[in-house]
Amino acid sequence: MLDAAQAVAARDGAAYLTLEAVATEAGISKASVLYDYKNKQALMKAVIERRIAAEDSRIEEIRNRLGPDEPNAAICARLIAESRELSDEDRAVALSLCASVAGDADLRAPVREMMARRVARVRDTSDNPRGAMLAFLAIEGLKALEWLNLYEWPREDRRKLMSEIRWLVDQKPEEIPCEEMTDFI
């Protein structure tokens, strides 16, 4: 059912993700979908949670391959995971889910929890937490542009950006007093 829901979301968009459409896509009755997911929101939440779990698992697998002695393993695993190019299906599903999440606080909850875990892991496991956090923010920004289909980096430019984002991990940025920043406003 979740595969069918994801397929409908990718193909038709979240607005057209109905229990009927999922049942048709899965080749089952609407009653079967209703039995497992009482409404569209519950189904969407399950799709979101499954995608988060799959991505977390992929990142954790990379982190484990880096080994226990790898400095900055959490952010480095994240950067490696995000080095792959998005497929058209990944982009379509992400765009559809973002549209759903934007308008529903309950659907945002699993995404907020995921982000809180990721921020904490990067902050708590990095040799230079501020540099690692800048890298985290840079990769999130790059992903957002790609997922929302706002910009598609040429392959070589993206490769260079990923290398430069990795460079941020080892940096020790100095804090600029807020008064200096407000002088320009």
Side-chain angles (χ1 to χ4, degrees), residues 2-17 22 40-55 88-111 114 147-148:
L2 295 180
D3 287 341
Q6 186 170 305
V8 171
R11 183 184 64 236
D12 303 331
Y16 297 99
L17 179 75
V22 172
K40 177 182 174 176
Q41 183 184 32
L43 179 62
M44 289 295 295
K45 189 172 183 181
V47 170
I48 291 166
E49 288 171 343
R50 183 175 86 154
R51 289 199 52 99
I52 289 170
E55 187 62 14
D88 289 339
E89 181 181 351
D90 285 337
R91 185 174 284 111
V93 170
L95 185 58
S96 180
L97 293 178
C98 284
S100 295
V101 166
D104 189 320
D106 288 335
L107 293 179
R108 272 195 305 276
V111 179
M114 171 203 64
W147 281 4
L148 298 174

Side-chain angles (χ1 to χ4, degrees), residues 173-185:
E174 293 181 34
E175 187 173 349
I176 297 173
C178 289
E179 303 82 51
E180 290 180 34
M181 290 188 285
T182 57
D183 289 345
F184 296 101
I185 299 176

Side-chain angles (χ1 to χ4, degrees), residues 36-110:
D36 289 336
Y37 305 100
K38 304 304 180 215
N39 55 43
K40 177 182 174 176
Q41 183 184 32
L43 179 62
M44 289 295 295
K45 189 172 183 181
V47 170
I48 291 166
E49 288 171 343
R50 183 175 86 154
R51 289 199 52 99
I52 289 170
E55 187 62 14
D56 284 350
S57 177
R58 193 169 79 83
I59 293 167
E60 189 61 26
E61 181 181 312
I62 293 167
R63 190 170 168 271
N64 289 337
R65 284 193 317 233
L66 290 173
D69 298 330
E70 176 70 27
N72 305 305
I75 188 64
C76 289
R78 195 66 206 294
L79 290 167
I80 292 167
E82 299 307 333
S83 292
R84 71 176 170 88
E85 292 181 33
L86 284 178
S87 70
D88 289 339
E89 181 181 351
D90 285 337
R91 185 174 284 111
V93 170
L95 185 58
S96 180
L97 293 178
C98 284
S100 295
V101 166
D104 189 320
D106 288 335
L107 293 179
R108 272 195 305 276

